[in-house]
Amino acid sequence: MAGAGMAIAVLTSGGDAQGMNAAVRAVTRMGIYVGAKVFLIYEGYEGLVEGGDNIKQANWLSVSNIIQLGGTVIGSARCKAFTTRAGRLRAARNLVEHGITNLCVIGGDGSLTGADIFRSEWGGLLEELVRDGQISKEVARENCRLNIVGLVGSIDNDFCGTDMTIGTDSALHRIMEVIDAITTTAQSHQRTFVLEVMGRHCGYLALVSGLASGADWLFIPESPPEDGWEDLMCERLGETRSRGSRLNIIIIAEGAIDRSGKPISSNYVKDLVVQRLGFDTRVTVLGHVQRGGTPSAFDRVLSSKMGMEAVMALLEATPDTPACVVSLSGNQSVRLPLMECVQVTKDVQKAMDEKRFEEAIQLRGRSFENNWNIYKLLAHQKPAQEKSPFSLAILNVGAPAAGMNAAVRSAVRIGLCQGHTIYVVSDGFEGLAKGQIREVGWHDVAGWLGRGGSMLGTKRTLPKTCMEKIVENVRKFNIQGLLVIGGFEAYEGVLQLVEARGRYEELCIIMCVIPATISNNVPGTDFSLGSDTAVNAAMESCDRIKQSASGTKRRVFIVETMGGYCGYLSTVTGIAVGADAAYVYEDPFTIHDLKANVEHLTDKMKTDIQRGLVLRNEKCHEHYTTEFLYNLYSSEGKGIFDCRINVLGHLQQGGAPTPFDRNYGTKLGVKAVLWMSEKLQEVYRKGRVFANSGDSACVIGLRKKVVAFSPVTELKKVTDFEHRLPQEQWWLNLRLMLKMLANYQISLTEYISGTMEHVTRRTLSIEKGF
């Protein structure tokens, strides 16, 4: 009860963003969890100024069943009154009446700046209220300090200092759904589509959707096109058509401008294409579709994480703590001084207004700059400066995972830019043994980005079953580099090849593994390609399952997820859907835990909540099977609730990859091939490649905030081969969040708080993983 005696209020302000409800839920529940009173303020700052019924105390059930809803259930409004001192005076009085001295604001930079002004004036406002006789000196003394913490809710991702703002990932989901749908109709009619996406001052949505769809041309406000771009663009579009492409996609941010600062409109671009090329061209303005719909899994987990961290920041605030904003850095929560972030965000706008465009892109942060550079590299073929002596082969191994094709596409294209000969192998190591190897060019991988599964075909066969034949083909095709995209088998396979180097000199080549599996169980990375798509697929199924119970009597669903022995899918899906429990192999459970879970659900069903959801990872326990849990819950819940089983199965492999997986796959493909090229140069002697050091065969992955290359021989020491798992897994920290938000009593001592960091031009230039 660390927060006993505290009162926390939460409000959403400015434009709505998907995921705001998950944040409101997390702040409310975490606040109640630590023993504080929590108030919901309806209609944003307007409700704060008006007071009365707009400020209501919340209980645990007030925020039940809202995690899957878009928008904000407590309302948001632009408020003129709060910008005046008189309005802020009324707001202060309303807060003091309820004894509230902690405010959590979920909104964009305008809303957060307003909160900081309110905080800095707080002492003066209370003095004025005492002078006017509206409150007593005693009350003013009790409420002398206002603590503020901000969560950034904005689909534009335009707030400097945080990797992702609440709502951005969901907005990208909406955009990609539209692009995928438009692509099919454009191909049928040989059309050109000009798509206008949101982002008045920030081109993030346009940039990432351009990167994730392989758009032909892209306009963003931070980097206006060079003068004379009209000729270049039309020439480029004509060229792709003459090569047999049946469609062109041009993505334009609503704030796009040219070098002189004049707006570039989507209709201007359309007319240009029609007049100069005569192509059948259509404009689609996405508008508020991007704000709508249900939040993605990433946004739900992000918002829940940020909401809990916000309450901890308020708990730990002292008179010297600046107003802070909780943000994401890699996969860690951090706290940043609010006004430092606002300042850098304003610096970007100033740089753009003063036409210092290079600087504007740098101030947006390193990951924005990376996206822009990679887009320019992959969008259009530039002939290699010179032919390189190296040949690389690319193959997929293991089960299909969304994002594999994006990685193959970018690896092929970046390899060709480097002048290498690029081969692709069908059917994994088996195909390599059988010689199913073909050379590919730039256009052979066009249109692969949005395709699910594996276009190359994939098998689980390991090299030790066909080593001789693999070596023979490596020699025959003179392969000096092997890029293996796949799951645990890909890692294990490369390890077998490395261990066979002593017997076969042909295997002394450069090898790299891009982890791609829905289970997220490859050592050396925090995220595997395909796991984001899988979590979203499982989450959508669970949302529907939950919804099906809304009309029936009290019901508990037992849902089985995939993942082998790895509980990542169950845990993250559990947080995203607000599950009551998620059983996983890594967090051992006994009959006592099962008993506690059943009692917990029985108590829950005695309230207004009519349904429960329990997730079970497929190999979490040898004896407590899905069937066993169903029988246990059914007999214990007799007369209170009934039970149903759902096995999600191959649904979780997902259809089209999510924007995250397309973007991540594209980046990993580029970084892996650049690394391989560098290594090949290092070990090239007298016309041949000879590599037998440990660091010549690595797994590329995202670790905390950076993309790292880990030698497979080193990773072997930290791998549990029997259960196909890394010995340490970062996401186990998330299980605490799952349990707290489901109302299990757990000691706060296990919670790891975020640290306060600073935002400067230097920190923005650090290489980030995303």
mmCIF file of all heavy atoms in Angstrom, residues 403-445:
data_model
loop_
_atom_site.group_PDB
_atom_site.id
_atom_site.type_symbol
_atom_site.label_atom_id
_atom_site.label_comp_id
_atom_site.label_asym_id
_atom_site.label_seq_id
_atom_site.Cartn_x
_atom_site.Cartn_y
_atom_site.Cartn_z
ATOM 1 N N GLY A 403 7.261 -11.994 -42.465
ATOM 2 C CA GLY A 403 8.419 -11.101 -42.457
ATOM 3 C C GLY A 403 9.639 -11.732 -43.121
ATOM 4 O O GLY A 403 10.597 -11.052 -43.466
ATOM 5 N N MET A 404 9.597 -13.075 -43.301
ATOM 6 C CA MET A 404 10.720 -13.757 -43.985
ATOM 7 C C MET A 404 10.931 -13.172 -45.389
ATOM 8 O O MET A 404 12.056 -12.916 -45.810
ATOM 9 C CB MET A 404 10.413 -15.255 -44.152
ATOM 10 C CG MET A 404 10.724 -16.095 -42.926
ATOM 11 S SD MET A 404 10.336 -17.839 -43.295
ATOM 12 C CE MET A 404 11.253 -18.667 -41.980
ATOM 13 N N ASN A 405 9.830 -12.974 -46.113
ATOM 14 C CA ASN A 405 9.948 -12.496 -47.495
ATOM 15 C C ASN A 405 10.500 -11.072 -47.553
ATOM 16 O O ASN A 405 11.238 -10.722 -48.474
ATOM 17 C CB ASN A 405 8.587 -12.558 -48.192
ATOM 18 C CG ASN A 405 8.069 -13.981 -48.247
ATOM 19 O OD1 ASN A 405 8.841 -14.913 -48.432
ATOM 20 N ND2 ASN A 405 6.767 -14.167 -48.056
ATOM 21 N N ALA A 406 10.136 -10.254 -46.546
ATOM 22 C CA ALA A 406 10.654 -8.883 -46.493
ATOM 23 C C ALA A 406 12.172 -8.918 -46.308
ATOM 24 O O ALA A 406 12.912 -8.145 -46.929
ATOM 25 C CB ALA A 406 10.001 -8.123 -45.341
ATOM 26 N N ALA A 407 12.638 -9.853 -45.459
ATOM 27 C CA ALA A 407 14.080 -9.965 -45.209
ATOM 28 C C ALA A 407 14.810 -10.456 -46.460
ATOM 29 O O ALA A 407 15.878 -9.952 -46.807
ATOM 30 C CB ALA A 407 14.335 -10.896 -44.031
ATOM 31 N N VAL A 408 14.207 -11.437 -47.165
ATOM 32 C CA VAL A 408 14.840 -11.954 -48.391
ATOM 33 C C VAL A 408 14.929 -10.826 -49.426
ATOM 34 O O VAL A 408 15.974 -10.601 -50.037
ATOM 35 C CB VAL A 408 14.041 -13.147 -48.983
ATOM 36 C CG1 VAL A 408 14.592 -13.550 -50.350
ATOM 37 C CG2 VAL A 408 14.082 -14.336 -48.030
ATOM 38 N N ARG A 409 13.831 -10.088 -49.572
ATOM 39 C CA ARG A 409 13.811 -9.014 -50.572
ATOM 40 C C ARG A 409 14.913 -7.990 -50.321
ATOM 41 O O ARG A 409 15.667 -7.625 -51.219
ATOM 42 C CB ARG A 409 12.437 -8.322 -50.548
ATOM 43 C CG ARG A 409 12.385 -7.016 -51.343
ATOM 44 C CD ARG A 409 11.055 -6.305 -51.091
ATOM 45 N NE ARG A 409 11.000 -5.013 -51.745
ATOM 46 C CZ ARG A 409 11.362 -3.871 -51.157
ATOM 47 N NH1 ARG A 409 11.840 -3.872 -49.920
ATOM 48 N NH2 ARG A 409 11.254 -2.724 -51.799
ATOM 49 N N SER A 410 14.997 -7.515 -49.060
ATOM 50 C CA SER A 410 15.981 -6.459 -48.814
ATOM 51 C C SER A 410 17.401 -7.007 -48.895
ATOM 52 O O SER A 410 18.306 -6.321 -49.361
ATOM 53 C CB SER A 410 15.724 -5.780 -47.463
ATOM 54 O OG SER A 410 15.980 -6.654 -46.398
ATOM 55 N N ALA A 411 17.593 -8.282 -48.485
ATOM 56 C CA ALA A 411 18.927 -8.876 -48.564
ATOM 57 C C ALA A 411 19.374 -9.020 -50.024
ATOM 58 O O ALA A 411 20.514 -8.701 -50.372
ATOM 59 C CB ALA A 411 18.935 -10.236 -47.868
ATOM 60 N N VAL A 412 18.449 -9.466 -50.885
ATOM 61 C CA VAL A 412 18.778 -9.622 -52.310
ATOM 62 C C VAL A 412 19.159 -8.265 -52.898
ATOM 63 O O VAL A 412 20.191 -8.112 -53.556
ATOM 64 C CB VAL A 412 17.570 -10.222 -53.092
ATOM 65 C CG1 VAL A 412 17.751 -10.064 -54.593
ATOM 66 C CG2 VAL A 412 17.381 -11.692 -52.719
ATOM 67 N N ARG A 413 18.332 -7.259 -52.602
ATOM 68 C CA ARG A 413 18.560 -5.950 -53.243
ATOM 69 C C ARG A 413 19.833 -5.266 -52.744
ATOM 70 O O ARG A 413 20.580 -4.702 -53.531
ATOM 71 C CB ARG A 413 17.338 -5.052 -53.041
ATOM 72 C CG ARG A 413 16.161 -5.567 -53.855
ATOM 73 C CD ARG A 413 15.017 -4.596 -53.950
ATOM 74 N NE ARG A 413 14.111 -5.016 -55.024
ATOM 75 C CZ ARG A 413 13.027 -4.336 -55.384
ATOM 76 N NH1 ARG A 413 12.695 -3.219 -54.758
ATOM 77 N NH2 ARG A 413 12.275 -4.758 -56.384
ATOM 78 N N ILE A 414 20.072 -5.353 -51.434
ATOM 79 C CA ILE A 414 21.275 -4.691 -50.920
ATOM 80 C C ILE A 414 22.518 -5.435 -51.403
ATOM 81 O O ILE A 414 23.549 -4.836 -51.709
ATOM 82 C CB ILE A 414 21.235 -4.564 -49.376
ATOM 83 C CG1 ILE A 414 22.253 -3.540 -48.880
ATOM 84 C CG2 ILE A 414 21.493 -5.861 -48.666
ATOM 85 C CD1 ILE A 414 21.780 -2.137 -49.019
ATOM 86 N N GLY A 415 22.401 -6.780 -51.542
ATOM 87 C CA GLY A 415 23.525 -7.566 -52.071
ATOM 88 C C GLY A 415 23.857 -7.164 -53.499
ATOM 89 O O GLY A 415 25.028 -7.030 -53.875
ATOM 90 N N LEU A 416 22.819 -6.943 -54.313
ATOM 91 C CA LEU A 416 23.039 -6.522 -55.701
ATOM 92 C C LEU A 416 23.659 -5.130 -55.757
ATOM 93 O O LEU A 416 24.513 -4.856 -56.601
ATOM 94 C CB LEU A 416 21.717 -6.567 -56.486
ATOM 95 C CG LEU A 416 21.137 -7.971 -56.690
ATOM 96 C CD1 LEU A 416 19.715 -7.900 -57.230
ATOM 97 C CD2 LEU A 416 22.011 -8.807 -57.628
ATOM 98 N N CYS A 417 23.226 -4.238 -54.829
ATOM 99 C CA CYS A 417 23.813 -2.887 -54.770
ATOM 100 C C CYS A 417 25.327 -2.984 -54.510
ATOM 101 O O CYS A 417 26.090 -2.137 -54.938
ATOM 102 C CB CYS A 417 23.211 -2.060 -53.634
ATOM 103 S SG CYS A 417 21.527 -1.570 -53.925
ATOM 104 N N GLN A 418 25.706 -4.031 -53.735
ATOM 105 C CA GLN A 418 27.124 -4.203 -53.389
ATOM 106 C C GLN A 418 27.902 -4.901 -54.523
ATOM 107 O O GLN A 418 29.103 -5.102 -54.414
ATOM 108 C CB GLN A 418 27.256 -5.074 -52.135
ATOM 109 C CG GLN A 418 26.488 -4.555 -50.933
ATOM 110 C CD GLN A 418 27.360 -3.671 -50.054
ATOM 111 O OE1 GLN A 418 28.487 -3.998 -49.746
ATOM 112 N NE2 GLN A 418 26.819 -2.538 -49.667
ATOM 113 N N GLY A 419 27.159 -5.316 -55.563
ATOM 114 C CA GLY A 419 27.827 -5.960 -56.695
ATOM 115 C C GLY A 419 28.034 -7.458 -56.546
ATOM 116 O O GLY A 419 28.739 -8.091 -57.332
ATOM 117 N N HIS A 420 27.416 -8.079 -55.521
ATOM 118 C CA HIS A 420 27.588 -9.526 -55.328
ATOM 119 C C HIS A 420 26.690 -10.317 -56.287
ATOM 120 O O HIS A 420 25.691 -9.804 -56.782
ATOM 121 C CB HIS A 420 27.198 -9.945 -53.894
ATOM 122 C CG HIS A 420 27.916 -9.200 -52.818
ATOM 123 N ND1 HIS A 420 29.230 -8.813 -52.921
ATOM 124 C CD2 HIS A 420 27.498 -8.750 -51.601
ATOM 125 C CE1 HIS A 420 29.591 -8.164 -51.812
ATOM 126 N NE2 HIS A 420 28.554 -8.107 -51.004
ATOM 127 N N THR A 421 27.028 -11.602 -56.478
ATOM 128 C CA THR A 421 26.128 -12.531 -57.162
ATOM 129 C C THR A 421 25.223 -13.100 -56.062
ATOM 130 O O THR A 421 25.714 -13.564 -55.028
ATOM 131 C CB THR A 421 26.930 -13.680 -57.798
ATOM 132 O OG1 THR A 421 27.881 -13.095 -58.690
ATOM 133 C CG2 THR A 421 26.018 -14.630 -58.553
ATOM 134 N N ILE A 422 23.905 -13.051 -56.277
ATOM 135 C CA ILE A 422 22.980 -13.499 -55.227
ATOM 136 C C ILE A 422 22.192 -14.734 -55.706
ATOM 137 O O ILE A 422 21.539 -14.696 -56.749
ATOM 138 C CB ILE A 422 21.982 -12.372 -54.849
ATOM 139 C CG1 ILE A 422 22.729 -11.101 -54.428
ATOM 140 C CG2 ILE A 422 21.044 -12.840 -53.735
ATOM 141 C CD1 ILE A 422 23.474 -11.182 -53.117
ATOM 142 N N TYR A 423 22.273 -15.796 -54.901
ATOM 143 C CA TYR A 423 21.488 -17.009 -55.176
ATOM 144 C C TYR A 423 20.397 -17.134 -54.117
ATOM 145 O O TYR A 423 20.605 -16.746 -52.962
ATOM 146 C CB TYR A 423 22.352 -18.268 -55.071
ATOM 147 C CG TYR A 423 23.453 -18.365 -56.090
ATOM 148 C CD1 TYR A 423 24.787 -18.224 -55.709
ATOM 149 C CD2 TYR A 423 23.174 -18.625 -57.434
ATOM 150 C CE1 TYR A 423 25.817 -18.327 -56.648
ATOM 151 C CE2 TYR A 423 24.191 -18.722 -58.372
ATOM 152 C CZ TYR A 423 25.517 -18.571 -57.976
ATOM 153 O OH TYR A 423 26.519 -18.673 -58.898
ATOM 154 N N VAL A 424 19.239 -17.691 -54.505
ATOM 155 C CA VAL A 424 18.261 -18.084 -53.485
ATOM 156 C C VAL A 424 18.092 -19.595 -53.559
ATOM 157 O O VAL A 424 18.232 -20.201 -54.633
ATOM 158 C CB VAL A 424 16.888 -17.385 -53.639
ATOM 159 C CG1 VAL A 424 17.012 -15.900 -53.375
ATOM 160 C CG2 VAL A 424 16.283 -17.647 -55.005
ATOM 161 N N VAL A 425 17.836 -20.194 -52.399
ATOM 162 C CA VAL A 425 17.739 -21.657 -52.292
ATOM 163 C C VAL A 425 16.309 -22.004 -51.889
ATOM 164 O O VAL A 425 15.765 -21.428 -50.950
ATOM 165 C CB VAL A 425 18.718 -22.162 -51.202
ATOM 166 C CG1 VAL A 425 18.665 -23.673 -51.107
ATOM 167 C CG2 VAL A 425 20.135 -21.684 -51.481
ATOM 168 N N SER A 426 15.694 -22.940 -52.595
ATOM 169 C CA SER A 426 14.348 -23.382 -52.211
ATOM 170 C C SER A 426 14.442 -24.465 -51.140
ATOM 171 O O SER A 426 15.394 -25.254 -51.146
ATOM 172 C CB SER A 426 13.612 -23.949 -53.422
ATOM 173 O OG SER A 426 13.592 -22.971 -54.434
ATOM 174 N N ASP A 427 13.444 -24.510 -50.248
ATOM 175 C CA ASP A 427 13.324 -25.610 -49.276
ATOM 176 C C ASP A 427 14.523 -25.798 -48.331
ATOM 177 O O ASP A 427 14.927 -26.925 -48.047
ATOM 178 C CB ASP A 427 13.053 -26.949 -49.987
ATOM 179 C CG ASP A 427 11.727 -26.917 -50.737
ATOM 180 O OD1 ASP A 427 10.908 -26.052 -50.399
ATOM 181 O OD2 ASP A 427 11.525 -27.718 -51.657
ATOM 182 N N GLY A 428 15.078 -24.709 -47.852
ATOM 183 C CA GLY A 428 16.059 -24.765 -46.770
ATOM 184 C C GLY A 428 17.308 -25.585 -47.064
ATOM 185 O O GLY A 428 17.773 -25.671 -48.203
ATOM 186 N N PHE A 429 17.863 -26.218 -46.011
ATOM 187 C CA PHE A 429 19.111 -26.980 -46.154
ATOM 188 C C PHE A 429 18.921 -28.174 -47.096
ATOM 189 O O PHE A 429 19.843 -28.584 -47.802
ATOM 190 C CB PHE A 429 19.609 -27.473 -44.784
ATOM 191 C CG PHE A 429 20.136 -26.370 -43.909
ATOM 192 C CD1 PHE A 429 19.580 -26.117 -42.656
ATOM 193 C CD2 PHE A 429 21.194 -25.558 -44.327
ATOM 194 C CE1 PHE A 429 20.063 -25.100 -41.846
ATOM 195 C CE2 PHE A 429 21.683 -24.534 -43.516
ATOM 196 C CZ PHE A 429 21.122 -24.303 -42.281
ATOM 197 N N GLU A 430 17.685 -28.713 -47.118
ATOM 198 C CA GLU A 430 17.408 -29.843 -48.019
ATOM 199 C C GLU A 430 17.580 -29.406 -49.471
ATOM 200 O O GLU A 430 18.169 -30.108 -50.289
ATOM 201 C CB GLU A 430 15.985 -30.346 -47.762
ATOM 202 C CG GLU A 430 15.705 -31.683 -48.387
ATOM 203 C CD GLU A 430 14.317 -32.210 -48.008
ATOM 204 O OE1 GLU A 430 14.030 -32.323 -46.787
ATOM 205 O OE2 GLU A 430 13.532 -32.489 -48.925
ATOM 206 N N GLY A 431 17.067 -28.199 -49.778
ATOM 207 C CA GLY A 431 17.201 -27.657 -51.137
ATOM 208 C C GLY A 431 18.654 -27.368 -51.483
ATOM 209 O O GLY A 431 19.088 -27.530 -52.630
ATOM 210 N N LEU A 432 19.418 -26.952 -50.473
ATOM 211 C CA LEU A 432 20.854 -26.679 -50.683
ATOM 212 C C LEU A 432 21.574 -27.986 -51.031
ATOM 213 O O LEU A 432 22.457 -28.021 -51.891
ATOM 214 C CB LEU A 432 21.445 -26.044 -49.405
ATOM 215 C CG LEU A 432 22.879 -25.522 -49.447
ATOM 216 C CD1 LEU A 432 23.060 -24.489 -50.558
ATOM 217 C CD2 LEU A 432 23.280 -24.895 -48.108
ATOM 218 N N ALA A 433 21.159 -29.074 -50.368
ATOM 219 C CA ALA A 433 21.766 -30.380 -50.643
ATOM 220 C C ALA A 433 21.367 -30.884 -52.032
ATOM 221 O O ALA A 433 22.155 -31.507 -52.739
ATOM 222 C CB ALA A 433 21.350 -31.379 -49.577
ATOM 223 N N LYS A 434 20.119 -30.597 -52.430
ATOM 224 C CA LYS A 434 19.633 -31.117 -53.725
ATOM 225 C C LYS A 434 19.980 -30.206 -54.894
ATOM 226 O O LYS A 434 19.598 -30.477 -56.031
ATOM 227 C CB LYS A 434 18.108 -31.290 -53.660
ATOM 228 C CG LYS A 434 17.670 -32.454 -52.779
ATOM 229 C CD LYS A 434 16.154 -32.555 -52.778
ATOM 230 C CE LYS A 434 15.688 -33.758 -51.948
ATOM 231 N NZ LYS A 434 14.242 -33.672 -51.693
ATOM 232 N N GLY A 435 20.612 -29.060 -54.573
ATOM 233 C CA GLY A 435 21.001 -28.148 -55.654
ATOM 234 C C GLY A 435 19.858 -27.307 -56.197
ATOM 235 O O GLY A 435 19.880 -26.871 -57.352
ATOM 236 N N GLN A 436 18.817 -27.056 -55.356
ATOM 237 C CA GLN A 436 17.694 -26.195 -55.809
ATOM 238 C C GLN A 436 18.093 -24.736 -55.592
ATOM 239 O O GLN A 436 17.575 -24.048 -54.710
ATOM 240 C CB GLN A 436 16.434 -26.534 -55.009
ATOM 241 C CG GLN A 436 15.953 -27.948 -55.251
ATOM 242 C CD GLN A 436 14.855 -28.353 -54.268
ATOM 243 O OE1 GLN A 436 14.751 -27.832 -53.178
ATOM 244 N NE2 GLN A 436 14.033 -29.294 -54.665
ATOM 245 N N ILE A 437 19.046 -24.305 -56.419
ATOM 246 C CA ILE A 437 19.683 -23.008 -56.214
ATOM 247 C C ILE A 437 19.553 -22.218 -57.513
ATOM 248 O O ILE A 437 19.831 -22.750 -58.587
ATOM 249 C CB ILE A 437 21.188 -23.203 -55.876
ATOM 250 C CG1 ILE A 437 21.331 -24.061 -54.601
ATOM 251 C CG2 ILE A 437 21.907 -21.866 -55.706
ATOM 252 C CD1 ILE A 437 22.739 -24.569 -54.340
ATOM 253 N N ARG A 438 19.101 -20.952 -57.421
ATOM 254 C CA ARG A 438 19.034 -20.160 -58.659
ATOM 255 C C ARG A 438 19.491 -18.728 -58.404
ATOM 256 O O ARG A 438 19.319 -18.195 -57.304
ATOM 257 C CB ARG A 438 17.621 -20.175 -59.243
ATOM 258 C CG ARG A 438 16.581 -19.511 -58.372
ATOM 259 C CD ARG A 438 15.197 -19.529 -59.037
ATOM 260 N NE ARG A 438 14.290 -18.570 -58.397
ATOM 261 C CZ ARG A 438 13.603 -18.808 -57.291
ATOM 262 N NH1 ARG A 438 13.727 -19.977 -56.668
ATOM 263 N NH2 ARG A 438 12.802 -17.885 -56.784
ATOM 264 N N GLU A 439 20.057 -18.122 -59.423
ATOM 265 C CA GLU A 439 20.510 -16.730 -59.276
ATOM 266 C C GLU A 439 19.312 -15.802 -59.440
ATOM 267 O O GLU A 439 18.408 -16.090 -60.237
ATOM 268 C CB GLU A 439 21.579 -16.413 -60.335
ATOM 269 C CG GLU A 439 22.286 -15.095 -60.048
ATOM 270 C CD GLU A 439 23.388 -14.762 -61.049
ATOM 271 O OE1 GLU A 439 23.939 -15.690 -61.684
ATOM 272 O OE2 GLU A 439 23.683 -13.570 -61.192
ATOM 273 N N VAL A 440 19.270 -14.699 -58.673
ATOM 274 C CA VAL A 440 18.135 -13.766 -58.788
ATOM 275 C C VAL A 440 18.614 -12.341 -59.047
ATOM 276 O O VAL A 440 19.740 -11.981 -58.719
ATOM 277 C CB VAL A 440 17.266 -13.743 -57.500
ATOM 278 C CG1 VAL A 440 16.383 -14.946 -57.412
ATOM 279 C CG2 VAL A 440 18.111 -13.581 -56.261
ATOM 280 N N GLY A 441 17.696 -11.576 -59.653
ATOM 281 C CA GLY A 441 17.972 -10.156 -59.914
ATOM 282 C C GLY A 441 17.028 -9.273 -59.104
ATOM 283 O O GLY A 441 16.170 -9.763 -58.354
ATOM 284 N N TRP A 442 17.179 -7.977 -59.270
ATOM 285 C CA TRP A 442 16.432 -6.954 -58.512
ATOM 286 C C TRP A 442 14.919 -7.176 -58.588
ATOM 287 O O TRP A 442 14.211 -7.124 -57.596
ATOM 288 C CB TRP A 442 16.798 -5.582 -59.085
ATOM 289 C CG TRP A 442 16.227 -4.428 -58.334
ATOM 290 C CD1 TRP A 442 14.989 -3.864 -58.504
ATOM 291 C CD2 TRP A 442 16.862 -3.678 -57.282
ATOM 292 N NE1 TRP A 442 14.818 -2.808 -57.632
ATOM 293 C CE2 TRP A 442 15.955 -2.675 -56.874
ATOM 294 C CE3 TRP A 442 18.107 -3.756 -56.657
ATOM 295 C CZ2 TRP A 442 16.258 -1.755 -55.876
ATOM 296 C CZ3 TRP A 442 18.408 -2.840 -55.657
ATOM 297 C CH2 TRP A 442 17.488 -1.865 -55.275
ATOM 298 N N HIS A 443 14.418 -7.432 -59.807
ATOM 299 C CA HIS A 443 12.951 -7.465 -59.982
ATOM 300 C C HIS A 443 12.326 -8.812 -59.623
ATOM 301 O O HIS A 443 11.112 -8.933 -59.554
ATOM 302 C CB HIS A 443 12.590 -7.050 -61.415
ATOM 303 C CG HIS A 443 13.015 -5.642 -61.687
ATOM 304 N ND1 HIS A 443 12.348 -4.551 -61.177
ATOM 305 C CD2 HIS A 443 14.091 -5.155 -62.339
ATOM 306 C CE1 HIS A 443 12.992 -3.447 -61.529
ATOM 307 N NE2 HIS A 443 14.050 -3.784 -62.235
ATOM 308 N N ASP A 444 13.171 -9.819 -59.387
ATOM 309 C CA ASP A 444 12.625 -11.130 -59.005
ATOM 310 C C ASP A 444 11.965 -11.098 -57.640
ATOM 311 O O ASP A 444 11.174 -11.974 -57.301
ATOM 312 C CB ASP A 444 13.736 -12.189 -58.994
ATOM 313 C CG ASP A 444 14.296 -12.423 -60.392
ATOM 314 O OD1 ASP A 444 13.511 -12.300 -61.354
ATOM 315 O OD2 ASP A 444 15.503 -12.708 -60.527
ATOM 316 N N VAL A 445 12.314 -10.095 -56.819
ATOM 317 C CA VAL A 445 11.743 -10.047 -55.464
ATOM 318 C C VAL A 445 10.758 -8.886 -55.311
ATOM 319 O O VAL A 445 10.362 -8.537 -54.199
ATOM 320 C CB VAL A 445 12.851 -9.951 -54.381
ATOM 321 C CG1 VAL A 445 13.607 -11.263 -54.288
ATOM 322 C CG2 VAL A 445 13.811 -8.802 -54.657
#
